[in-house]
Amino acid sequence: MNKIYNPTPDTWSTLLERPTKTVDDIEFTVKEIFKEVQKKGDLAVAKYTSLFDGVSLDNYEVSQEEINEAIGLIANELKEAIQLAKSNIEKFHAAQKTDRVIIETTEGVNCWQEKRPIQKIGLYIPGGTAPLFSTVLMLAVPANIAGCNEIVLCSPPDKNGNINPAILYAANLCGVTKILKVGGIQAIAGMTFGTESIPKVYKIFGPGNQFVTVAKQLATQFGVAIDMPAGPSELLVVADDTAVPAFVASDLLSQAEHGTDSQVLLVSTSKNLIDAVEKEIQIQLDLLPRKAIAEKAIANSKLIYVENDSIALELINEYGPEHFIICTAADDFYIDGIENAGSVFIGNYTPESAGDYASGTNHTLPTNGFAKNYSGVNLDSFTKSMTFQKISKKGIQNIGKAIEIMAEAEGLQAHKNAVTLRLKTIEDEK
Amino acid sequence: MNKIYNPTPDTWSTLLERPTKTVDDIEFTVKEIFKEVQKKGDLAVAKYTSLFDGVSLDNYEVSQEEINEAIGLIANELKEAIQLAKSNIEKFHAAQKTDRVIIETTEGVNCWQEKRPIQKIGLYIPGGTAPLFSTVLMLAVPANIAGCNEIVLCSPPDKNGNINPAILYAANLCGVTKILKVGGIQAIAGMTFGTESIPKVYKIFGPGNQFVTVAKQLATQFGVAIDMPAGPSELLVVADDTAVPAFVASDLLSQAEHGTDSQVLLVSTSKNLIDAVEKEIQIQLDLLPRKAIAEKAIANSKLIYVENDSIALELINEYGPEHFIICTAADDFYIDGIENAGSVFIGNYTPESAGDYASGTNHTLPTNGFAKNYSGVNLDSFTKSMTFQKISKKGIQNIGKAIEIMAEAEGLQAHKNAVTLRLKTIEDEK
């Protein structure tokens, strides 16, 4: 593991560099499939489902029968776990509802702001060996609270033409309105253009491999919004001698098992803690089934010693971690001072995996430094803010002159006229 | 003008089509300039400032002296108008502040959501004959309320190396921290990468020509966020016999004078109203200094008659107008039912120009159908939402088992371990 002591600020940007990937090759493939799905609809979807998923389907939509069957397949203890998680996610996201903001800015000038649901939402859930049903919860629950009308979920079928039952169970539980057995680029293209089977949506959410990531980027060029730009998952822990080294090691490893490109950083004002965590990692690593993956990510991880909390905070804000665990004697200093982070986990008993599954916070978070300028998924991600205004005669008399002067100064005479005409009518009525 | 009576729903998408532009040619130029600015910094900025703006500058930053001079040049009545507008914009956007959302989702599991400012903001304000100082207000005022640390403004210099005094006055009044005489692609590239003179920012706001629009899109590929995708400005008015035809005409014309590609639509359940508005447009058009522009936009405009308010609302939601004026006997029906619109103006005395300048609502709004999935600029545009969680021993005992079960079902053993270790430690302490 890489230990770095007291790095000088001029080395931070290199030290904190994330692995970058080139997507040029992928882009061509993605564009071709988009063109084909736009032109041929389900025919193209069928072609690529056969090519990439190795299966031919007569019907892409999951039937109520299939859902019922899936429900029967899920162990009760998993059902209960999912229900507990759902309940917490619901509570936290429902609390994010905001009232209409109403204000009379000048007498007779009433303005208000309101959030209304994005009507058509698409969720992408990857397939494969690890069925990400937790992501179904994280996306469908707030979409439902927001009042989105259509919530479409696409996930690739396996060789037998099925979607993992845990995904179906969660989707059904959380109010997804249509579940489709379509994966990869063809799913994103389908939700972008609409096909005979796949509804066109206004915003696409969810994780995916590089192909899905590039496809989501491309979708934005066709007027579809996406949750946020993607990148490899990452965790930064700041810890001192008040932290339990075994806990810190377990958190770093839980991040590391996501993929070989996962980013794992420990920042500490204690060299002892760094050494202790390093030892614990070796012990715990050997016991992991995904050891091969975690080992590679850990090899690229960095354990950074700095002199004091102020320097640590500055460095952390420069990085802007997706997940940020604070376990120090100065927790409040970090809580108050953190400017850029996706989700923050505080204290010895708050592992990142709590937020990944069941505490109630969302696990779809900005990575790759995007915590500097993007929010994690939250209730507002499923709404858009609209403004309204209603001005009385008195109101336009109060602000009309200012509008006329400003419009004239900007050279927009017709803007001025729209006010002048109204003011004149009010004068004439007198 | 194009009058359409009772269009059938299957013709709506063609009827409501917006003009599309190809940006392929521009893209190449923009990419080249980005590369050069990234590599050569101020040298490249100087080259393109000389090429596009026809001026060589020793110093891009506007000095306090220049600002003071500009303040002296602005007429008092314009200053007062700007101050009134600023005050209303401030009131409306300050009211949008939200409290920390705190919730104990399960006993011992405390989660909260907080909005923190995006630290570095870039504003782009176009130059030319019409100085858009109103846009300075619309962007700098909420940035300031949000608490953004750096607010950089770029605007192209004129041939004498100056920025319009009204822009400088507004920028200074609204707390812009640095004003730079840099325009076009080189300004957006400069704020994306940072140069010796131009600070790198995290999010870029503001309007611009096609070059600026494409440059902002490209900036997102380098990790910079932007306010929203751009398109030609548009207005849809729904009006019936309760509307004053002259007022409706003046609003349609104020939209039409923006540019020949402006979108202007009138939807009505009254053929009389449509005819009366058409006549009024001809009368008012002749008096406009920007007649040539407005005339072309009006020629492409559409006056659409529909049988009843329900059909009108459905058609309007399909379009998703940037600006939406409601002037009917059924105002509440439209207010409640509108799903997709940027900003809504209600009643005979609420011209769109009120919202453009001084009512307090923001005039940076989603156009081109983006009202379906994007918010207009508001206070939240300058913040990002972060989540926090602190779990007690009791808390992890309450949700730990659910996390273990879910992590295991997703095949993520290290995620499970992070919880198991903690639960075991609590058990051992007993």
Side-chain angles (χ1 to χ4, degrees):
Chain A
M1 297 179 74
N2 308 300
K3 284 194 267 189
I4 301 102
Y5 288 175
N6 278 325
T8 54
D10 60 301
T11 65
W12 287 2
S13 67
T14 314
L15 178 65
L16 301 175
E17 221 162 55
R18 289 149 163 116
T20 50
K21 275 185 198 164
T22 164
V23 292
D24 284 353
D25 300 350
I26 296 179
E27 239 179 69
F28 179 79
T29 309
V30 174
K31 277 187 180 168
E32 287 305 302
I33 297 177
F34 262 59
K35 271 187 211 158
E36 219 172 316
V37 171
Q38 185 175 24
K39 209 169 146 187
K40 300 185 188 164
D42 275 359
L43 258 178
V45 172
K47 172 178 160 188
Y48 290 106
T49 300
S50 165
L51 186 66
F52 295 133
D53 303 310
V55 64
S56 290
L57 299 174
D58 291 331
N59 194 350
Y60 295 101
E61 190 172 350
V62 173
S63 66
Q64 191 55 49
E65 230 169 43
E66 288 174 282
I67 292 169
N68 294 343
E69 206 178 306
I71 295 171
L73 288 170
I74 306 291
N76 278 335
E77 78 169 6
L78 180 55
K79 278 185 193 165
E80 282 162 24
I82 288 175
Q83 283 162 15
L84 180 143
K86 174 175 179 268
S87 158
N88 284 350
I89 295 165
E90 240 162 23
K91 283 180 207 165
F92 188 57
H93 289 78
Q96 293 168 24
K97 275 189 200 167
T98 44
D99 291 329
R100 195 187 273 207
V101 175
I102 313 176
I103 192 138
E104 190 174 18
T105 54
T106 292
E107 198 195 335
V109 181
N110 286 286
C111 301
W112 67 99
Q113 183 205 37
E114 221 173 292
K115 287 168 189 163
R116 301 212 170 170
I118 298 175
Q119 292 296 330
K120 301 175 186 190
I121 293 290
L123 313 182
Y124 185 79
I125 304 294
T129 46
L132 296 184
F133 56 83
S134 61
T135 304
V136 180
L137 299 176
M138 294 294 173
L139 300 177
V141 167
N144 226 336
I145 294 170
C148 302
N149 212 24
E150 284 184 45
I151 306 172
V152 177
L153 185 151
C154 286
S155 192
D158 63 19
K159 300 262 180 249
N160 302 317
N162 296 319
I163 293 179
N164 184 289
I167 290 177
L168 297 185
Y169 173 73
N172 183 63
L173 185 70
C174 301
V176 168
T177 55
K178 198 188 267 271
I179 309 173
L180 293 157
K181 302 174 190 173
V182 185
I185 305 167
Q186 61 273 23
I188 306 298
M191 292 194 280
T192 299
F193 301 116
T195 72
E196 298 86 335
S197 297
I198 310 172
K200 177 179 164 53
V201 303
Y202 297 154
K203 189 168 182 178
I204 299 175
F205 293 77
N209 60 19
Q210 288 180 67
F211 293 96
V212 170
T213 297
V214 173
K216 280 173 66 188
Q217 281 166 0
L218 187 60
T220 65
Q221 292 184 25
F222 296 95
V224 177
I226 61 170
D227 46 0
M228 70 189 76
S233 191
E234 60 198 24
L235 167 68
L236 187 148
V237 179
V238 62
D240 61 16
D241 292 323
T242 66
V244 180
F247 294 177
V248 174
S250 73
D251 292 328
L252 295 173
L253 284 169
S254 74
Q255 184 57 40
E257 78 173 337
H258 273 301
T260 54
D261 56 357
S262 280
Q263 291 282 291
V264 179
L265 297 172
L266 170 64
V267 176
S268 182
T269 52
S270 159
K271 290 179 187 168
N272 285 341
L273 187 272
I274 287 178
D275 293 340
V277 169
E278 194 180 18
K279 272 181 210 147
E280 272 293 337
I281 286 176
Q282 290 311 329
I283 296 167
Q284 295 181 27
L285 188 57
D286 281 337
L287 306 170
L288 290 180
R290 290 167 77 97
K291 183 183 169 185
I293 291 172
E295 208 161 29
K296 278 190 193 153
I298 286 291
N300 292 322
S301 70
K302 281 158 192 162
L303 313 180
I304 303 170
Y305 166 81
V306 292
E307 295 254 309
N308 59 52
D309 291 316
S310 294
I311 298 173
L313 179 62
E314 210 177 314
L315 181 141
I316 295 161
N317 275 326
E318 171 107 7
Y319 183 67
E322 178 191 13
H323 302 99
F324 175 38
I325 296 181
I326 303 172
C327 209
T328 70
D331 284 357
D332 286 341
F333 171 78
Y334 287 99
I335 296 170
D336 293 342
I338 185 70
E339 291 170 351
N340 307 313
S343 195
V344 183
F345 302 77
I346 301 148
N348 271 313
Y349 288 90
T350 315
E352 189 211 298
S353 48
D356 288 338
Y357 291 108
S359 65
T361 61
N362 210 291
H363 78 196
T364 306
L365 297 167
T367 185
N368 209 20
F370 289 115
K372 290 174 182 170
N373 40 18
Y374 289 89
S375 303
V377 165
N378 60 82
L379 186 65
D380 284 346
S381 311
F382 299 90
T383 70
K384 68 262 175 183
S385 148
M386 286 164 56
T387 53
F388 298 77
Q389 54 211 291
K390 185 165 186 174
I391 303 177
S392 67
K393 289 184 186 178
K394 179 79 194 155
I396 197 70
Q397 285 181 304
N398 283 335
I399 65 169
K401 198 183 157 207
I403 299 169
E404 290 179 314
I405 292 167
M406 291 172 77
E408 175 125 39
E410 287 194 354
L412 296 172
Q413 197 65 36
H415 282 64
K416 182 183 173 184
N417 279 0
V419 172
T420 309
L421 259 177
R422 285 165 166 98
L423 292 179
K424 197 174 167 305
T425 303
I426 297 170
E427 276 306 308
D428 291 349
E429 283 170 359
K430 278 185 185 166
Chain B
M1 296 181 74
N2 310 301
K3 284 195 267 189
I4 302 103
Y5 288 175
N6 278 326
T8 54
D10 60 302
T11 66
W12 288 2
S13 67
T14 313
L15 179 65
L16 301 175
E17 221 162 56
R18 287 146 165 121
T20 50
K21 275 184 197 164
T22 163
V23 292
D24 283 353
D25 301 347
I26 295 178
E27 237 178 70
F28 180 78
T29 309
V30 173
K31 277 187 180 167
E32 287 304 302
I33 296 178
F34 262 60
K35 270 188 210 158
E36 219 172 316
V37 170
Q38 185 175 25
K39 211 168 144 189
K40 298 185 187 165
D42 275 358
L43 258 177
V45 172
K47 174 179 160 187
Y48 290 105
T49 301
S50 166
L51 186 66
F52 295 132
D53 303 308
V55 64
S56 290
L57 299 174
D58 290 332
N59 194 350
Y60 295 101
E61 190 172 350
V62 173
S63 66
Q64 192 54 49
E65 231 168 43
E66 288 174 281
I67 293 169
N68 294 342
E69 207 178 305
I71 295 172
L73 288 170
I74 306 291
N76 278 335
E77 76 169 9
L78 180 55
K79 278 184 192 166
E80 281 161 24
I82 290 176
Q83 283 162 15
L84 180 143
K86 175 175 178 267
S87 160
N88 283 351
I89 297 165
E90 241 162 23
K91 283 179 207 163
F92 188 59
H93 289 78
Q96 293 168 23
K97 275 188 200 169
T98 44
D99 291 330
R100 196 187 272 205
V101 175
I102 312 176
I103 193 138
E104 190 173 18
T105 54
T106 293
E107 197 195 337
V109 181
N110 285 287
C111 300
W112 67 100
Q113 182 204 40
E114 220 173 293
K115 287 168 189 164
R116 300 210 171 172
I118 298 175
Q119 291 295 330
K120 301 175 187 190
I121 293 290
L123 312 182
Y124 185 79
I125 305 294
T129 45
L132 297 184
F133 56 83
S134 61
T135 304
V136 179
L137 298 176
M138 294 294 173
L139 301 177
V141 167
N144 225 333
I145 294 169
C148 304
N149 211 24
E150 284 184 44
I151 307 171
V152 177
L153 185 150
C154 287
S155 191
D158 63 19
K159 300 262 182 248
N160 302 315
N162 296 320
I163 293 178
N164 184 290
I167 292 178
L168 296 186
Y169 172 73
N172 183 63
L173 186 70
C174 301
V176 168
T177 55
K178 198 189 270 268
I179 309 172
L180 293 159
K181 301 174 190 173
V182 185
I185 306 167
Q186 61 273 24
I188 306 299
M191 292 193 281
T192 300
F193 302 116
T195 72
E196 298 86 334
S197 297
I198 309 172
K200 176 180 166 52
V201 302
Y202 298 154
K203 188 167 183 178
I204 297 175
F205 293 77
N209 59 20
Q210 287 181 67
F211 293 97
V212 170
T213 297
V214 174
K216 280 173 66 187
Q217 282 166 359
L218 187 60
T220 64
Q221 292 185 25
F222 295 96
V224 176
I226 61 171
D227 44 3
M228 69 189 76
S233 192
E234 61 198 23
L235 167 67
L236 187 149
V237 179
V238 64
D240 61 17
D241 292 323
T242 66
V244 179
F247 295 176
V248 174
S250 73
D251 291 328
L252 295 172
L253 284 169
S254 74
Q255 185 58 40
E257 78 172 338
H258 272 303
T260 53
D261 57 357
S262 280
Q263 292 282 291
V264 179
L265 297 172
L266 171 64
V267 176
S268 183
T269 52
S270 159
K271 289 179 189 170
N272 286 341
L273 188 271
I274 287 178
D275 293 340
V277 169
E278 194 181 18
K279 272 181 211 150
E280 271 293 337
I281 285 176
Q282 290 311 330
I283 296 168
Q284 294 181 27
L285 188 57
D286 281 338
L287 305 169
L288 290 182
R290 291 168 76 98
K291 183 183 169 186
I293 292 172
E295 208 161 30
K296 278 191 192 151
I298 286 291
N300 292 322
S301 69
K302 281 158 192 163
L303 313 181
I304 303 170
Y305 167 81
V306 293
E307 296 254 309
N308 59 50
D309 291 316
S310 294
I311 298 173
L313 180 62
E314 210 177 315
L315 181 139
I316 294 161
N317 275 327
E318 171 107 7
Y319 183 67
E322 178 192 13
H323 302 99
F324 176 36
I325 295 182
I326 304 172
C327 208
T328 71
D331 284 356
D332 285 343
F333 171 78
Y334 288 99
I335 295 171
D336 292 344
I338 184 70
E339 291 170 351
N340 306 314
S343 195
V344 183
F345 303 77
I346 303 148
N348 271 313
Y349 289 90
T350 314
E352 187 210 300
S353 49
D356 288 338
Y357 290 110
S359 65
T361 60
N362 210 292
H363 79 196
T364 306
L365 297 167
T367 185
N368 209 20
F370 289 116
K372 290 175 182 168
N373 41 19
Y374 288 90
S375 304
V377 165
N378 62 81
L379 187 65
D380 284 347
S381 311
F382 299 90
T383 69
K384 67 261 174 183
S385 148
M386 286 163 57
T387 53
F388 297 77
Q389 55 212 290
K390 187 167 184 171
I391 303 177
S392 67
K393 289 182 185 177
K394 180 80 194 154
I396 198 72
Q397 284 180 304
N398 283 335
I399 65 170
K401 197 184 160 207
I403 300 169
E404 290 178 314
I405 292 167
M406 292 173 76
E408 176 125 36
E410 287 194 354
L412 296 172
Q413 197 65 37
H415 281 65
K416 181 183 175 186
N417 278 359
V419 173
T420 309
L421 258 179
R422 284 165 167 96
L423 292 179
K424 195 173 168 305
T425 303
I426 297 169
E427 276 305 309
D428 291 349
E429 283 170 1
K430 278 182 185 167

